[in-house]
Amino acid sequence: MSNNDAWMQRDIASLWHPCTQMKDHETLPVTPIRRGRGVWLEDFDGRQYLDAISSWWVNIFGHANERINDRIRAQLDSLEHVILSGFTHQPVIELSERLGQLTPVGLGHCFYADNGSAAVEIALKMSYHYWYNVGRPEKRRFLTITNGYHGETLGALSVGDVAIFTETYRSLLLDVLKVPAPDGFGLPREQWVAEAREKFAHMEAALERHHHELAAVIVEPLIQCAGGMRMYPPEYLGWLREACDRYNVQLIFDEIAVGFGRTGTLFACEQASVRPDYLCLSKAITGGYLPLSVVMTTDEVYDAFYDDYASLRAFLHSHSYTGNPLACAAALATLDIFEQDNVIKANREKADHIEQVTAPLREHPHVGDVRQTGMVVAIEMVRDRATLEPYDFRERRGVRVFRHAMSRGAMLRPLGNVIYWMPPYVIEPGEIDFLAEVTREGLEIATRD
Ligand SMILES: *Cc1c(COP(=O)(O)O)cnc(C)c1O
């Protein structure tokens, strides 16, 4: 028995894995990882895999990054954790100051949690509570766009719209309004703005009709990641901000997946020059090291909660590991790397390279779309290129790509029929070429019959 097999057996005997039909593991082995360095992961038999999905979209500067390691080690020797209610610490203060400088002007108040779903819950509760505190308790509903994803807890699921995650729990969820999302799928980029304009009419109509009962609109800016890396242009965000202002409805941007450079700017909202009322950040915030999330908001929101204790207006939400010092130290090291290495500029060249090597895949008879925003590229497999008819999900074409890629030393983990790369920013040109080769082969194998 190989070392991998021994670990696999112990794993299956005692674990229940996230986002997994465990029966799949009868035929599709779980891969035990012994160590990581840069973009590479290594299993217990010494095989290496290029982490093309940044370990679930979190790792941006590689595994075992020395600068992040050093910062966490130093923090470990002084303070591993302290309660953030009534107490504070240096890393969380410095991080809040720096995030305030890096995000759109006016988001000066940082409320921390330890994962993305919790950040979404906070933004939803805070928005509802804001209206409650200003004497508008009837503004209690949320409006969003279809195909969104905001996490797995019940509030976050309620504002999400990816059926495989939400459908089973429908009867437990909040009654949320949804309008058709802008979606550039299958369209040349020149047509994205016109398509988004058409879709925005639904948003405008819903705001006009429901604004009196709406607390906030929540969207993932530019890329609906879990919804299959569907993309739309920044113009939509500008129209949304303007309409939310006009109808007196708050705006929540969930940049949990797209924040920290993924779309080509440090934050996606910069591309629309828009400031949301709540900005949710997590995932890459610690470079993929430790769980941390934050909701950043405005003076206006903060002030609506600021009062004498007896007024009972305070936001009494908390999580045990809120603002953990080790996680904040990792986040500070991550921000240092952005600053010192001119990452955004370097990514532009890498994104161009990614565009060049994936462009030929457009010609494949079972590719309906190749789309890219910054350091995310998605290749969507379809049964029929002319009509964009999808493959039936039961055929599990994406799993075939996954299997092939693993056999070739690349971790590609398609979302249904959508093969995507969301690599760590430290990926090298040669490694991009290797991914293109593995993707082309995987596509061939997955669409053969
Ligand atoms: C991953 C994700 C979340 C949820 O974050 P978790 O840390 O997994 O709870 C929320 N919103 C978006 C856009 C995400 O991609």
Side-chain angles (χ1 to χ4, degrees):
M1 194 161 60
S2 79
N3 292 323
N4 270 358
D5 292 341
W7 285 111
M8 281 176 209
Q9 287 183 9
R10 284 173 62 182
D11 174 286
I12 294 301
S14 56
L15 271 88
W16 188 345
H17 286 271
C19 203
T20 299
Q21 169 48 264
M22 291 300 290
K23 188 164 190 283
D24 277 0
H25 287 318
E26 288 180 9
T27 52
L28 192 69
V30 22
T31 306
I33 297 297
R34 174 166 52 183
R35 62 178 155 222
R37 183 153 287 276
V39 297
W40 295 95
L41 293 167
E42 187 186 308
D43 71 15
F44 280 79
D45 291 333
R47 274 193 299 268
Q48 304 229 330
Y49 308 95
L50 199 165
D51 186 356
I53 60 159
S54 297
S55 284
W56 251 355
W57 320 345
V58 298
N59 188 301
I60 50 176
F61 296 132
H63 297 275
N65 183 294
E66 264 163 36
R67 283 185 277 179
I68 305 177
N69 287 4
D70 288 346
R71 188 75 176 239
I72 295 173
R73 261 190 223 110
Q75 183 58 40
L76 195 52
D77 286 331
S78 56
L79 179 69
E80 80 300 329
H81 187 64
V82 66
I83 175 175
L84 198 66
S85 180
F87 296 82
T88 192
H89 53 84
Q90 186 175 344
V92 81
I93 296 168
E94 287 180 3
L95 180 60
S96 307
E97 290 170 351
R98 286 178 72 177
L99 288 174
Q101 283 156 11
L102 292 168
T103 50
V105 176
L107 294 172
H109 305 277
C110 292
F111 194 101
Y112 288 90
D114 50 18
N115 67 81
S117 305
V120 170
E121 299 290 337
I122 287 164
L124 298 175
K125 282 176 69 180
M126 227 179 227
S127 178
Y128 164 83
H129 198 159
Y130 165 83
W131 293 112
Y132 180 90
N133 279 353
V134 301
R136 300 286 309 273
E138 73 283 4
K139 284 172 77 70
R140 49 173 291 280
R141 295 187 74 188
F142 299 97
L143 169 61
T144 186
I145 57 178
T146 52
N147 194 46
Y149 178 85
H150 300 285
E152 300 293 348
T153 51
L154 293 176
L157 263 191
S158 299
V159 288
D161 188 51
V162 178
I164 50 165
F165 302 123
T166 57
E167 214 43 43
T168 316
Y169 305 102
R170 180 163 297 279
S171 70
L172 297 181
L173 303 182
L174 299 172
D175 180 22
V176 169
L177 290 159
K178 290 170 189 169
V179 294
D183 183 0
F185 174 52
L187 297 174
R189 192 171 271 267
E190 310 81 72
Q191 292 175 27
W192 283 16
V193 174
E195 192 275 344
R197 189 34 110 184
E198 276 173 34
K199 294 291 174 52
F200 190 75
H202 298 278
M203 175 60 78
E204 173 79 37
L207 282 165
E208 185 181 4
R209 176 132 185 250
H210 294 281
H211 64 90
H212 59 279
E213 55 170 342
L214 285 175
V217 174
I218 179 169
V219 296
E220 293 164 271
L222 304 187
I223 312 177
Q224 295 190 298
C225 293
M229 302 294 165
R230 291 295 176 94
M231 299 175 186
Y232 63 89
E235 282 80 356
Y236 189 91
L237 301 172
W239 305 326
L240 183 57
R241 175 74 274 182
E242 184 278 325
C244 283
D245 286 342
R246 195 154 28 86
Y247 288 110
N248 202 20
V249 171
Q250 293 191 322
L251 184 54
I252 303 169
F253 279 174
D254 175 352
E255 292 216 23
I256 288 164
V258 297
F260 300 97
R262 193 49 80 175
T263 64
T265 44
L266 191 57
F267 298 103
C269 58
E270 290 168 37
Q271 295 183 37
S273 306
V274 157
R275 185 195 77 189
D277 298 287
Y278 306 90
L279 180 62
C280 301
L281 303 173
S282 187
K283 291 204 163 112
I285 191 172
T286 63
Y289 268 66
L290 287 160
L292 182 72
S293 65
V294 62
V295 178
M296 302 181 66
T297 192
T298 61
D299 288 346
E300 190 187 350
V301 171
Y302 182 80
D303 291 344
F305 292 79
Y306 196 90
D307 204 346
D308 295 329
Y309 185 79
S311 71
L312 296 178
R313 287 163 156 259
F315 191 60
L316 299 180
H317 185 110
S318 66
H319 297 284
S320 308
Y321 284 98
T322 287
N324 173 262
L326 296 170
C328 291
L332 288 168
T334 299
L335 293 183
D336 284 346
I337 295 173
F338 271 107
E339 212 169 274
Q340 291 159 10
D341 292 9
N342 210 346
V343 173
I344 299 295
K345 182 163 172 288
N347 277 0
R348 228 164 276 154
E349 280 161 38
K350 291 183 186 182
D352 285 347
H353 187 156
I354 289 172
E355 190 177 345
Q356 278 164 28
V357 298
T358 52
L361 300 176
R362 268 176 223 282
E363 308 310 321
H364 190 279
H366 287 288
V367 167
D369 195 30
V370 177
R371 52 187 177 271
Q372 184 180 353
T373 297
M375 291 294 278
V376 181
V377 67
I379 300 120
E380 186 146 349
M381 297 183 284
V382 291
R383 174 171 297 285
D384 186 332
R385 216 175 127 86
T387 62
L388 299 179
E389 181 202 340
Y391 282 114
D392 189 307
F393 82 96
R394 282 166 292 216
E395 295 171 12
R396 307 192 76 183
R397 305 268 168 177
V399 175
R400 301 187 202 176
V401 176
F402 171 78
R403 275 184 201 278
H404 174 73
M406 287 298 280
S407 79
R408 291 280 276 115
M411 193 215 276
L412 285 172
R413 207 168 171 279
L415 291 156
N417 296 321
V418 182
I419 308 169
Y420 71 94
W421 309 351
M422 197 154 167
Y425 306 158
V426 292
I427 192 167
E428 296 289 337
E431 293 162 343
I432 292 173
D433 295 343
F434 167 66
L435 270 188
E437 195 178 296
V438 173
T439 301
R440 188 173 39 73
E441 296 162 1
L443 194 55
E444 226 31 80
I445 289 166
T447 60
R448 205 170 267 163
D449 48 21

